Amino acid sequence: MISFFVRQRFSLRLFKLLSLFLASYFSILLINTIPVLSQNTPEIRGVWLTTSDTDTLLDRPKMKEAMANLASIHFNTIYPVVWNSGYALYPSKVAREAGIQPFVHKGLQGQEPLKELIQEAHRHKMLVLPWFEFGFMAPPTSELALKHPNWLTQARDGTKTTYSAAGEVVWLNPFHPQVQKFITDLVMEVVNTYDIDGIQFDDHLCLPVTLGYDNYTKNLYKQETKLDPPNDHNNPAWMRWRANKLTEFVAQLNQKIKAQNPNKILSISPNPYQPAYNSFLQDWLDWVRKDLIDELIIQVYRSDFAVFQREITRPEIREARQKIPVGIAILTGLTNRITPIEFVREKALAVRREKLGIAFFFYGSMWNKTPELKVDRKSSFQSLFPYQSQRIARVNPVKPINPVTPVTSTNPITPINPVTPVTSTNSVTPKPVTSNNPINPVTPSNPVTPSNSTIIDSSIDPTNVTGEVILIDEFLKFTP
């Protein structure tokens, strides 16, 4: 009898040891499969809510369901669109006084959508950074473009419109004092009105390199340098002067926000550094080095995984990561084309191995209206974030604010590597522009009429065209 109990006890201990071994083994496999940051590291786990998510933004039950879903799988940051196509997607006194807002933006239940979204997200302990999506960009038939033609910039030949993924657009002159005041007033209106954690701009807080030949900018350049702007828009000194001017505006915007609350986050979501600078004059590495931004989400929408991997391991990203939270934007799909979940997961795992945060574009393509089962896609996102990572809107101590000194020299600032113009050597074939018809100049003959006075056309979304790499010469193609 005693020997029987001894054998049973030995067998039980052996079983426990074997169980512990197997648990440890599979835990190691799991850690190797899903790289994770320390639980004390508040990594970025963000999602954009776009105009393609209009139903989610405007319908209270759907909004609450979205916030609960995202919180349940441990997301911590929401980027809801508030500035799109030349319109403020919230009740805006600034836009109304500028004569560009012919409608009141309300929810389907008569509510104020942004205010309620902020409350619901905060209830689930998620940060909210309203996203000024269009930045300095606008449709040529918007009230903004039609009522303020002197705010627009142009190419050397006088052309005012460009083609982007948003279609035909015009660009506000980021150096014009009235434009700067208008954009700053919009931002501060949101900062002062809502209980937000910060604000975000993306790759449209820029000036396309072919632009800047409007009279105001030409006169300003001549006043400061005693020279006429070069005919070559890729002239290094001309590029650097315009990039510096854009940096000045970012510095002024940062000062305004921090004066209201030093812990408000100024987030930027640009393209990778070389196209950001070469084609859009966004020297975001300079912004990081000068402590002008508090968060960086780099849009790496690449269909080739090897290209994606190279982009997320570049030295400028690793440098930025030493100063501020940095994340990589991953495309989960477009309205008419969903990215397979395994490809999304492969990219996300690569990003996490680099100890970078992640922001997914966009909520509606994560698991809604997808060819794959909703439960399968949702569980894949859940497996990426097995634990919570709560963020707190607290930025590094702000240095004493000094007045921004206007740029008076064209001496180039040396970037990490000398920036060379993009020559469109990518192997990916861009989607051709579907129309060769000349574009009519901006005239007041076709004003934009918002649908039902509340919903902006969701097709005017700069990434709702293609997830492929767009060659720069096509992305900035001008009319004859």
Side-chain angles (χ1 to χ4, degrees), residues 170-455:
V170 293
W171 293 84
L172 303 179
N173 181 358
F175 314 141
H176 197 293
Q178 293 177 0
V179 171
Q180 292 187 352
K181 183 180 185 303
F182 172 71
I183 295 296
T184 301
D185 286 349
L186 278 178
V187 169
M188 295 311 299
E189 179 177 55
V190 172
V191 169
N192 291 320
T193 304
Y194 298 97
D195 182 23
I196 59 172
D197 303 289
I199 62 101
Q200 184 184 70
F201 281 93
D202 58 20
D203 51 321
H204 303 128
L205 188 73
C206 75
L207 178 69
V209 70
T210 47
L211 304 181
Y213 290 90
D214 56 276
N215 288 334
Y216 179 86
T217 303
K218 288 191 297 184
N219 290 336
L220 183 63
Y221 183 77
K222 188 161 188 175
Q223 174 187 328
E224 294 190 1
T225 68
K226 313 304 180 189
L227 299 170
D228 290 320
N231 291 336
D232 179 8
H233 56 255
N234 286 320
N235 176 279
W238 173 227
M239 287 180 65
R240 174 46 58 191
W241 184 87
R242 288 175 292 165
N244 285 350
K245 283 294 179 188
L246 194 60
T247 298
E248 284 182 27
F249 174 71
V250 175
Q252 292 164 6
L253 184 63
N254 176 59
Q255 289 178 6
K256 280 274 192 180
I257 294 170
K258 294 298 188 287
Q260 195 274 353
N261 186 331
N263 285 321
K264 298 291 186 190
I265 297 168
L266 175 54
S267 173
I268 299 291
S269 182
N271 286 300
Y273 183 68
Q274 285 207 345
Y277 181 85
N278 288 337
S279 299
F280 302 105
L281 302 170
Q282 277 189 317
D283 193 349
W284 56 253
L285 184 61
D286 193 35
W287 303 352
V288 171
R289 288 172 173 170
K290 291 179 176 176
D291 300 317
L292 303 183
I293 61 176
D294 310 301
E295 175 185 281
L296 182 67
I297 310 289
I298 303 164
Q299 298 179 41
V300 189
Y301 300 147
R302 301 292 183 264
S303 58
D304 185 314
F305 182 74
V307 174
F308 177 86
Q309 185 105 5
R310 284 199 303 273
E311 291 284 4
I312 68 172
T313 56
R314 289 189 58 84
E316 58 267 28
I317 294 179
R318 290 177 173 172
E319 178 183 340
R321 191 181 63 191
Q322 303 304 311
K323 295 198 69 172
I324 60 174
V326 176
I328 301 298
I330 295 176
L331 186 71
T332 52
L334 304 171
T335 303
N336 56 355
R337 187 174 67 188
I338 303 300
T339 306
I341 190 59
E342 283 306 312
F343 194 35
V344 172
R345 180 181 171 81
E346 184 181 19
K347 289 181 174 181
L349 294 175
V351 169
R352 302 202 77 205
R353 279 191 290 271
E354 288 296 308
K355 292 186 168 48
L356 297 165
I358 302 175
F360 292 107
F361 190 93
F362 60 99
Y363 176 73
S365 63
M366 289 178 71
W367 52 71
N368 294 319
K369 301 178 182 178
T370 61
E372 298 154 316
L373 289 176
K374 179 176 180 177
V375 66
D376 291 342
R377 283 183 72 96
K378 194 173 179 181
S379 65
S380 291
F381 287 106
Q382 173 81 67
S383 68
L384 288 172
F385 307 129
Y387 62 83
Q388 290 184 336
S389 180
Q390 184 178 343
R391 297 185 70 194
I392 299 174
R394 184 178 299 132
V395 300
N396 294 328
V398 180
K399 298 177 181 178
I401 296 176
N402 296 317
V404 177
T405 305
V407 177
T408 58
S409 170
T410 57
N411 293 331
I413 295 175
T414 305
I416 39 171
N417 293 310
V419 181
T420 55
V422 176
T423 55
S424 301
T425 57
N426 297 335
S427 59
V428 181
T429 303
K431 290 200 171 188
V433 177
T434 55
S435 173
N436 292 320
N437 296 328
I439 296 176
N440 296 326
V442 177
T443 62
S445 58
N446 293 312
V448 174
T449 304
S451 174
N452 298 324
S453 298
T454 58
I455 300 175

